[in-house]
Each structure stands twice: as structure tokens, then as C-alpha cells.
Amino acid sequence: MIRAVRAVRVLPLLLLPLLLVSCGTEEAGAGADTGSTADTGTGKAGADKGTGSSADPADPAELAARAGALGIAPELVYVTEAPGFAVAEQSVGVFGGDGFHAAYFSQKTHAQLELFVDRGTLTAENCPQTQVGQGSGESVACERDGNAWYRKAGGRHEYAVPRDGHVIRLVGDAKRLDRAVLRKAAKATHHPDAAELTALLPPAPEGTATEPVERGDLPPVGDGAPNNEVGASG
């Protein structure tokens, strides 16, 4: 099933290069070469940052509030690092039901790298039926690469990394984005640290509720309707 990026702070991706050249990008997770590409899988979700950074982790409550304000599940928010690429803040938004999407752009090569995270899994059985990126029915070729899948269809290719209950996908144009760049970006995916979260997601609106609001006028028993009785004089 093909899911679409919901328009919550997301601009049409075809307009991103023009926008980024004119006003720059907001960097979050644009880093140096990650070195070895021996294995794109890292086990538990968020357990291993690709570059071994010791940056302060993001506060879980802050991550939940910022992600929740956009309809994104906090555990599905990831960033990556690719040499010469910076995340386009305007591209960040919800994907599908409560998944995550962000686009990274290289001002030098004008190549674009998209990061998708969504619930589900990827296996040998469903890999050929699962579209690459937001594909439209092209035949998908799947190749196992360590704990990940390298996939191609319709001139686009991706690295897909299954995690616990979700899949992280790095997608790009096969002619403009080298496979090695995708592989390293997949290896470098991680949950954002405090600085990356600040650059990636806007602050949650003031008064954003994190827990259900308790109603003081609801009776403890019955059907839960408010007690609006005003007495015989009312």
C-alpha cells in the first residue's frame, strides 16, 4: 500500500531545490563520512548512532511533545548523516498514519535524499510488492544486504532497514545518488539528540496536552454525562 506524505509543514518535493537554493537549509544531522559500510543494521531502534556521537540525548518528553504536535509518533522520528547533505526543514512532516518524513539536499550536486519511517516490516515475501519511496506500481528488485534491503524500481533506489515494528527507508534518484551514499545514510540513522531535535522539529504549541484533561463535572458513575441539574428554582 502506497502512503503519502501529509501536508504538515511539507512542501511539494519538486519545489525543494529552488527553495533551498534561494533561502538555504536548516542543518540537522549533516555530518562527515561515516567510514565503514560493513553493516547497515544496528539492532534495536535508536540503539546505535552511526557516528558514535556522545551528544546529549533528546528529552523524551520534549520529543513526544514536538512530534505529537505534527501527528508523528516520537519513536518513528529519525535523522541521518550524509556528507554534503543537509535536512530541508520545510520537508519535515508526517508520513502515512503517524510515520515520519524528511528530505536531505546537497547544494553541491543538487541531489536529494529522502528519509521515510513507517510502521510495518520488510521481508523476502513482501519486498517485491512494497513500492520504493512513493512509487506508482513499478516492478521492484530486492537485494539483501546485511540486515537491510537494497531495492530499485522506476529509476529510484533505496536502502530499507527493518527495525522493531517499523522500517527506515533512504530513497533517491538512481542516476544522481550513489548507492554507497544511500548505504552510509542508512547506517547512520538514529533518533535525534537534543541539538538535532531543536533543528528538526518546531517547538510544540503552548498548552499542548500530553495527558487527557480531567473533567471536574463528570459523575464517578453512570454514563459519564455532565451533571447540569440546577434544582427546582432553575
Side-chain angles (χ1 to χ4, degrees):
M1 180 177 181
I2 302 173
R3 296 174 178 268
V5 179
R6 194 181 306 165
V8 182
R9 303 179 68 240
V10 181
L11 295 179
L13 295 179
L14 292 177
L15 298 180
L16 281 177
L18 178 60
L19 173 66
L20 296 174
V21 169
S22 62
C23 63
T25 58
E26 183 71 27
E27 295 191 7
D33 194 319
T34 56
S36 173
T37 60
D39 191 352
T40 53
T42 58
K44 292 184 179 180
D48 183 12
K49 284 193 65 173
T51 57
S53 171
S54 59
D56 294 334
D59 177 66
E62 181 70 14
L63 173 58
R66 291 186 179 220
L70 298 180
I72 304 168
E75 67 271 20
L76 302 184
V77 177
Y78 281 81
V79 294
T80 190
E81 299 172 1
F85 284 79
V87 68
E89 183 182 357
Q90 299 88 349
S91 73
V92 176
V94 65
F95 174 66
D98 60 355
F100 177 74
H101 169 268
Y104 290 73
F105 185 75
S106 169
Q107 291 189 340
K108 181 178 180 180
T109 66
H110 292 220
Q112 184 171 284
L113 167 66
E114 291 187 79
L115 168 65
F116 296 91
V117 188
D118 201 12
R119 299 190 187 278
T121 189
L122 200 62
T123 65
E125 289 72 27
N126 69 9
C127 184
Q129 286 77 45
T130 304
Q131 292 300 300
V132 171
Q134 299 190 80
S136 56
E138 300 94 341
S139 176
V140 178
C142 298
E143 175 187 333
R144 191 72 178 180
D145 188 346
N147 291 335
W149 290 94
Y150 175 65
R151 312 170 67 238
K152 294 184 68 175
R156 292 173 68 75
H157 61 164
E158 75 172 27
Y159 261 91
V161 186
R163 294 280 173 86
D164 294 334
H166 58 275
V167 181
I168 305 167
R169 297 187 292 143
L170 285 303
V171 187
D173 187 302
K175 293 183 179 180
R176 304 190 68 177
L177 194 64
D178 189 75
R179 174 175 175 174
V181 174
L182 277 181
R183 198 173 195 272
K184 290 183 180 181
K187 181 179 175 61
T189 54
H190 58 275
H191 290 302
D193 60 34
E196 290 168 331
L197 177 61
T198 298
L200 188 70
L201 297 178
E206 292 186 10
T208 299
T210 57
E211 296 182 0
V213 177
E214 184 175 350
R215 288 281 301 275
D217 60 343
L218 295 179
V221 294
D223 62 4
N227 183 0
N228 296 320
E229 184 177 352
V230 295
S233 63

